Amino acid sequence: MILNGIFTEKECEVLTFNLNLRNLKKNIILFLKNCPDEHFPVTLKDPNGQIRILTTFKAKEKIFYSGKNFEDSSNCAIPGELTDGIWKLEITKPYMFKGMFVLEILKDVDMNKSSAFMDISRFNYENQFSKEKKWYKGELHAHTKFSDGLLELKTLPKGIEDLNLDFIFLTDHNVISTKTPLSISPIIPSTELTLMENGHFNFLGLKTLPDYPAFLKGKKVGPELLKTIFEWVKKQNALVVMNHPLNATMGVNYNIDLTSFDLIEVLNSPYNNQKTQFNIDALKAFDGLLMSGYKIFAVGGSDSHTDFVDKNSSFLGKPLNYVHMNGFTVNNLLQSLKVGKNYISTIGELNLCLHEISTQNNKKEIFFGETLNSNLIECNLSAKENITWKIIINGQIHSEIEGDKINLEINLPQNSYFRIEGYKDNSIAIITNPIFFGNIAKTNKEWLDIRK
């Protein structure tokens, strides 16, 4: 069955094809036959209204199929009964575009079967991967061939093993991997919401597929719609990330409810020299958020769109996020990220020893993201190479130190924070989250004021 469609001049629209399908025995197959290279979600729903396939015109993979069982279904698909009745194919156009597309629906074709994959419906957020209390490292932003990346799912386990990653979030544009390869470390269901160029947002740790036609029907993409989608994310205890916020073409260029955000990506694609400035600008905006009373914590992501060949040539894992947990479960990981118990590094793990010193001279171990009762902090950090360390207090450089380590006491003023940056050859190498003393009052500043 060939389906031809034409987009109109409307800014946003959802095109629906009603498919009367009966006597399905093996599967239903969606073929992206001739589609524009756009971030347009494509959703196939069964007669019960359940999403069975969610893909995007941007996908480099073009064939998707849903069968009765997990083994009979592709990635980006959910298995289930092949019920007789009206199946709906919905194409969501979230921004202005005029053009045509061609899709094809097939049924009962013999497709590849595989059980050596993890089913999203069986993903266990409470599974304990380790009981150790330590820093764990991973990647928060990466793309596969199921959107506009080149990363093959079959090469992902090698990448995880070679880079010694403890976790990875796959964040394909608008879609969620429902069938990921078995791996020594969790591949966590996530997506990068991409409904317009001036605003991309990662959702980390999703449990269900987003229903884009329901979200966008009769609406325009803007702050109100995004808030509705963010609330849907929060109900799943997933995290909302503001991605590359100061990128000239893909940054966030409108006011949006800042209380919706858990994290801000302050280091993105650091090995592309042309993009260095928007990371510097993102750090300034990060301080602006903190000084405005918003506890939105920093993360980094490679935003890798390449396949993994080896750890030297791949962008994957550059930078890494180091997250402290008292035992590793994915729920613990999400909670630690949410409270800022992490730092970003392009030069490996730091040796960290941070203590709050009380008025009685007692020492208590502390971590990034915490709010202290005392203003005196003993700070001992060391890296594996010489860098330029910068101590930032309330957005201003307090001191700079050259070398592979810092050992100092920091005396914080009331209602303030400090954080640390490290630079190697004038490029960002280390970013920590802040530690607070007292509470910084929340202002009425909006995002466009802060990002200046």
Side-chain angles (χ1 to χ4, degrees):
M1 183 189 306
I2 301 294
L3 305 173
N4 295 285
I6 301 175
F7 293 115
T8 70
E9 294 182 353
K10 292 180 181 178
E11 184 175 341
C12 298
E13 60 182 329
V14 178
L15 301 186
T16 301
F17 295 88
N18 291 314
L19 314 172
N20 190 355
L21 299 176
R22 299 183 180 278
N23 300 315
L24 294 168
K25 295 179 175 60
K26 296 180 180 179
N27 51 37
I28 181 168
I29 300 165
L30 170 64
F31 175 25
L32 306 179
K33 197 173 181 72
N34 188 4
C35 302
D37 188 30
E38 301 291 336
H39 291 297
F40 294 175
V42 182
T43 308
L44 179 67
K45 295 177 182 175
D46 65 22
N48 297 316
Q50 298 300 308
I51 297 175
R52 300 295 291 273
I53 296 174
L54 174 60
T55 182
T56 170
F57 279 175
K58 271 279 187 182
K60 287 185 166 56
E61 294 287 344
K62 299 299 181 184
I63 296 176
F64 302 86
Y65 48 97
S66 175
K68 293 181 181 180
N69 304 307
F70 173 66
E71 294 79 7
D72 301 317
S73 302
S74 70
N75 189 27
C76 300
I78 300 292
E81 291 299 317
L82 298 171
T83 310
D84 288 352
I86 303 299
W87 291 63
K88 285 191 175 184
L89 184 65
E90 298 172 299
I91 296 89
T92 303
K93 187 193 81 171
Y95 50 83
M96 183 63 72
F97 176 84
K98 289 173 64 178
M100 303 172 62
F101 61 88
V102 182
L103 304 171
E104 186 173 6
I105 296 292
L106 303 165
K107 63 178 185 177
D108 298 334
V109 178
D110 289 331
M111 305 299 289
N112 293 331
K113 291 189 176 187
S114 176
S115 58
F117 285 79
M118 170 60 73
D119 179 355
I120 187 176
S121 67
R122 300 172 194 163
F123 191 89
N124 184 357
Y125 282 77
E126 285 294 348
N127 182 48
Q128 190 163 59
F129 295 93
S130 170
K131 295 181 179 180
E132 283 190 78
K133 178 181 178 180
K134 68 169 192 173
W135 294 93
Y136 295 85
K137 65 180 180 181
E139 168 71 83
L140 267 63
H141 193 166
H143 297 274
T144 76
K145 293 180 74 173
F146 289 91
S147 64
D148 60 348
L150 295 174
L151 180 61
E152 299 265 10
L153 288 185
K154 63 184 179 183
T155 65
L156 187 54
K158 173 177 167 53
I160 290 171
E161 187 172 357
D162 287 4
L163 294 169
N164 196 25
L165 299 182
D166 296 305
F167 58 86
I168 184 170
F169 293 83
L170 289 184
T171 54
D172 279 312
H173 297 280
N174 294 332
V175 304
I176 301 171
S177 282
T178 60
K179 191 173 183 178
T180 54
L182 296 179
S183 167
I184 57 174
S185 300
I187 302 168
I188 303 164
S190 304
T191 191
E192 181 171 17
L193 182 73
T194 312
L195 299 181
M196 58 200 308
E197 279 307 303
N198 59 342
H200 294 191
F201 310 97
N202 275 348
F203 301 155
L204 306 181
L206 289 172
K207 299 177 179 67
T208 58
L209 303 183
D211 189 343
Y212 294 111
F215 282 132
L216 271 83
K217 226 162 217 179
K219 299 174 185 175
K220 291 184 178 181
V221 177
E224 288 188 17
L225 174 63
L226 290 173
K227 186 174 182 180
T228 299
I229 298 175
F230 293 164
E231 287 171 352
W232 171 83
V233 174
K234 298 281 192 170
K235 286 179 181 177
Q236 302 177 57
N237 295 318
L239 303 180
V240 178
V241 189
M242 187 189 299
N243 289 352
H244 38 69
L246 275 296
N247 184 297
T249 58
M250 296 178 290
V252 181
N253 296 317
Y254 46 84
N255 282 323
I256 191 165
D257 183 5
L258 291 170
T259 62
S260 298
F261 293 99
D262 301 293
L263 306 167
I264 178 172
E265 188 181 59
V266 296
L267 192 54
N268 172 281
S269 303
Y271 289 88
N272 185 332
N273 292 330
Q274 294 177 339
K275 297 183 177 180
T276 300
Q277 186 57 47
F278 75 68
N279 288 321
I280 298 294
D281 293 340
L283 279 172
K284 293 176 183 176
F286 177 44
D287 281 316
L289 288 167
L290 296 173
M291 289 301 296
S292 299
Y294 292 99
K295 288 188 176 180
I296 300 172
F297 293 107
V299 292
S302 71
D303 203 356
S304 172
H305 284 68
T306 62
D307 196 13
F308 185 85
V309 179
D310 58 62
K311 61 184 178 182
N312 295 317
S313 61
S314 174
F315 284 160
L316 197 69
K318 300 175 182 177
L320 287 172
N321 296 266
Y322 291 81
V323 187
H324 196 273
M325 289 180 272
N326 297 334
F328 179 20
T329 69
V330 174
N331 275 343
N332 285 353
L333 170 61
L334 293 170
Q335 181 58 28
S336 287
L337 287 168
K338 185 179 178 67
V339 299
K341 211 172 183 179
N342 65 287
Y343 66 90
I344 308 157
S345 174
T346 67
I347 58 171
E349 186 171 357
L350 300 176
N351 187 5
L352 283 162
C353 189
L354 299 168
H355 289 96
E356 176 184 10
I357 303 176
S358 70
T359 52
Q360 291 79 33
N361 212 32
N362 295 321
K363 292 184 180 181
K364 174 190 171 186
E365 185 180 24
I366 56 174
F367 294 94
F368 303 121
E370 291 189 22
T371 299
L372 309 183
N373 296 315
S374 172
N375 68 330
L376 189 59
I377 300 163
E378 182 182 75
C379 182
N380 299 298
L381 281 74
S382 63
K384 295 175 182 177
E385 51 192 291
N386 290 333
I387 59 174
T388 301
W389 305 85
K390 296 183 181 182
I391 310 300
I392 312 292
I393 296 180
N394 284 3
Q396 303 298 316
I397 298 174
H398 176 265
S399 56
E400 292 190 25
I401 301 167
E402 300 285 342
D404 64 347
K405 64 175 69 72
I406 52 175
N407 300 288
L408 72 162
E409 288 188 351
I410 299 172
N411 200 323
L412 287 176
Q414 184 67 37
N415 301 326
S416 65
Y417 70 88
F418 93 97
R419 61 180 188 82
I420 299 168
E421 295 175 8
Y423 289 80
K424 179 186 176 184
D425 301 327
N426 295 318
S427 294
I428 300 168
I430 298 290
I431 300 168
T432 78
N433 268 310
I435 292 175
F436 302 89
F437 174 55
N439 292 304
I440 298 172
K442 191 166 284 188
T443 69
N444 293 322
K445 281 189 176 181
E446 295 185 303
W447 169 246
L448 292 183
D449 296 319
I450 291 170
R451 64 163 284 161
K452 292 177 183 177

